[in-house]
Amino acid sequence: MNKILELIDRSELLFSEDIICHSRYLTDAVSNSTFLVLGAAGSIGQAVTKEIFKRKPKKLHAVDINENNLTELVRDIRSSFGYCDVDFRTFALDIGSVEYDAFIESDGKYDYVLNLTALKHVRSEEDPFTLMRMIDVNIFNTDKTIKQSIDNGTKKYFCVSTDKAANPINMMGASKRIMEMFLMRRSLDINVSTARFANVAFSDGSLLHGFNQRIEKIQPIAAPNDIRRYFVTPQESGELCLMSCIFGENRDIFFPKLTKALHLISFSDIAVKYLKNNGFEPYLCETEDEARKLIKTLPEKGKWPCLFTKSNTTGEKNFEEFYTDKEILDMDRFKNLGIIKNSPEFDDEKLNYFENSMNNLKSSLSWTKPQILEQFFNLIPEFSYKDVGKYLDGKM
């Protein structure tokens, strides 16, 4: 953990004071409750599951489609915390499947349901088919599982959002903003809360996680030098989600406060620190071909070829924000956590139209990205999406 903090230019965990201050209530709430974690094998899901497990809940069931990562989650928990009197089980299920529905039908009784499932990559919106799956996972599976939670008398439903839902410029961020609209509608029947937060450093599939892969596979490191982001550690992501789940009032959106500890840092700066921590000096290349050629000889000389370029792909936001100027904030309740306070504002007619339109497109087995975009603009008129014709899959 200290290594990750050093790479993102920090020395302390963000939420330690809030966790310590509310430790007794947090532990009591968890130890007397039952939990279902969806998307439990992803980086955030694993972090949340471990935060819950170590506080000894009555029941903790973890669901994810990735059985390999679920296996590693169990190994991690057993290796870190051992065994305790907890009904802890994992289920390799797709929450959009009939098997998952049968699983919920067989039990389904949980005090808290936490949904960490998401298609989070901007690159996933390039083709219309993966884009439609993103809509299913980020929006409709969320609505499905919250309806099941309502039917089963769940006390609280938590769902992770993203900072990119604030004034979205890409389809991923917009899908999460629409998800928040669906949550507002369901908040009339169940208490809900969510969280927007920054990039999780070295999470599965992230660019920083890719640094590990490039070193292991002896390949050049590429990163944008003009994109700066806020980063949280995996542990902080788990703490933020659990705090929102337990302490969030209905419709609250938690986010990390911007302080001296949490500041913007570029991917290229992290890459330089990362390489130096691994014993290499970065060698700046001009082209991908040069970097691929030099990887064959430079590492043995203690150098690593890098390609740092300006970002020019669709969906990349030049800055990050956790809230808009139209949202009401509570900045006093916690030391390092801010809260967006929401009233149940939503357009039921538009949400129904969006859902029916998406279902009609799927039933036809034929749809285009512009057709999907039209529905997004209908729900988010201010959506500032621009397709520049270049995507991350076209870069090293």
Side-chain angles (χ1 to χ4, degrees):
M1 184 59 66
N2 288 337
K3 183 178 179 181
I4 294 180
L5 285 173
E6 180 183 346
L7 289 172
I8 60 177
D9 202 22
R10 287 205 273 115
S11 59
E12 298 178 350
L13 291 169
L14 287 176
F15 311 125
S16 296
E17 290 186 55
D18 290 316
I19 294 291
I20 292 171
C21 181
H22 299 277
S23 177
R24 179 173 294 181
Y25 184 91
L26 191 61
T27 298
D28 287 347
V30 172
S31 64
N32 289 304
S33 302
T34 58
F35 293 82
L36 173 65
V37 181
L38 307 175
S43 297
I44 302 174
Q46 289 190 40
V48 172
T49 302
K50 288 189 286 185
E51 289 297 318
I52 296 171
F53 183 90
K54 69 183 184 183
R55 293 176 172 87
K56 301 179 181 180
K58 290 181 178 179
K59 178 169 70 174
L60 174 56
H61 290 171
V63 173
D64 200 285
I65 197 171
N66 190 325
E67 63 173 346
N68 289 333
N69 280 13
L70 276 178
T71 299
E72 176 55 30
L73 171 62
V74 174
R75 290 170 178 160
D76 188 5
I77 285 178
R78 297 307 184 203
S79 299
S80 298
F81 308 113
Y83 301 83
C84 56
D85 188 21
V86 176
D87 175 10
F88 173 57
R89 285 184 282 170
T90 63
F91 302 85
L93 298 170
D94 177 353
I95 65 172
S97 68
V98 66
E99 292 82 6
Y100 175 80
D101 294 342
F103 160 73
I104 291 297
E105 189 68 24
S106 70
D107 184 351
K109 302 299 181 183
Y110 303 96
D111 296 316
Y112 297 94
V113 174
L114 296 91
N115 182 4
L116 294 312
T117 62
L119 259 67
K120 63 179 183 178
H121 285 283
V122 175
R123 69 181 70 230
S124 294
E125 61 191 57
E126 178 178 359
D127 71 89
F129 313 107
T130 310
L131 175 56
M132 186 62 84
R133 180 166 180 263
M134 177 189 286
I135 293 167
D136 270 344
V137 171
N138 293 359
I139 302 173
F140 295 132
N141 281 356
T142 297
D143 199 45
K144 167 189 170 178
T145 55
I146 195 171
K147 284 189 287 186
Q148 291 171 326
S149 299
I150 293 169
D151 292 341
N152 284 301
T154 296
K155 180 192 302 183
K156 180 72 169 294
Y157 184 95
F158 169 86
C159 188
V160 70
S161 186
T162 173
D163 59 294
K164 296 171 181 63
N167 293 318
I169 70 164
N170 54 50
M171 301 291 281
M172 189 281 288
S175 71
K176 283 294 190 176
R177 179 69 193 98
I178 294 171
M179 178 208 76
E180 291 176 356
M181 296 177 185
F182 275 82
L183 286 179
M184 292 303 108
R185 180 165 68 172
R186 298 299 175 192
S187 72
L188 300 179
D189 300 309
I190 187 174
N191 286 336
V192 302
S193 67
T194 184
R196 294 177 184 168
F197 53 88
N199 295 261
V200 180
F202 293 92
S203 60
D204 282 354
S206 68
L207 181 57
L208 303 192
H209 177 258
F211 293 170
N212 291 334
Q213 303 298 307
R214 304 290 74 74
I215 293 291
E216 181 180 332
K217 297 177 180 180
I218 313 179
Q219 296 170 338
I221 282 182
N225 57 15
D226 61 337
I227 298 293
R228 302 170 72 220
R229 293 287 184 255
Y230 298 109
F231 288 93
V232 295
T233 68
Q235 179 180 330
E236 289 168 341
S237 74
E239 292 172 344
L240 174 56
C241 293
L242 186 58
M243 290 288 285
S244 175
C245 178
I246 299 299
F247 293 104
E249 297 176 352
N250 196 16
R251 294 180 285 274
D252 279 356
I253 302 176
F254 278 46
F255 62 90
K257 287 183 183 178
L258 300 184
T259 64
K260 291 181 180 179
L262 183 63
H263 54 267
L264 293 165
I265 184 170
S266 72
F267 287 102
S268 55
D269 285 344
I270 295 175
V272 169
K273 288 186 176 185
Y274 176 85
L275 286 172
K276 289 183 176 180
N277 279 3
N278 280 276
F280 296 100
E281 282 294 324
Y283 182 92
L284 302 186
C285 299
E286 295 294 329
T287 66
E288 289 189 4
D289 286 340
E290 181 189 8
R292 282 189 289 264
K293 179 181 179 181
L294 291 177
I295 194 63
K296 300 174 183 177
T297 57
L298 284 185
E300 62 188 31
K301 300 175 183 178
K303 299 180 180 180
W304 205 273
C306 299
L307 183 65
F308 299 150
T309 59
K310 292 187 181 298
S311 177
N312 60 355
T313 53
T314 298
E316 288 297 332
K317 200 170 185 177
N318 292 330
F319 60 95
E320 288 193 311
E321 54 190 336
F322 298 114
Y323 51 86
T324 71
D325 56 6
K326 297 179 181 178
E327 292 175 316
I328 300 172
L329 306 181
D330 177 356
M331 302 295 278
D332 299 322
R333 186 177 176 193
F334 297 101
K335 174 76 173 178
N336 288 305
L337 291 166
I339 306 172
I340 301 168
K341 307 298 292 185
N342 288 291
S343 57
E345 295 180 4
F346 56 88
D347 190 320
D348 197 50
E349 184 177 340
K350 283 189 175 182
L351 291 178
N352 288 332
Y353 184 79
F354 176 84
E355 186 171 12
N356 291 334
S357 297
M358 291 298 108
N359 287 335
N360 289 337
L361 289 176
K362 286 187 289 185
S363 296
S364 72
L365 295 181
S366 177
W367 60 83
T368 65
K369 187 173 178 179
Q371 287 177 307
I372 296 175
L373 265 171
E374 181 182 353
Q375 300 307 317
F376 273 54
F377 282 121
N378 185 47
L379 276 179
I380 314 174
E382 68 278 13
F383 181 28
S384 54
Y385 179 80
K386 183 179 180 181
D387 192 332
V388 300
K390 294 182 179 180
Y391 296 89
L392 287 170
D393 282 349
K395 304 181 73 170
M396 189 168 66

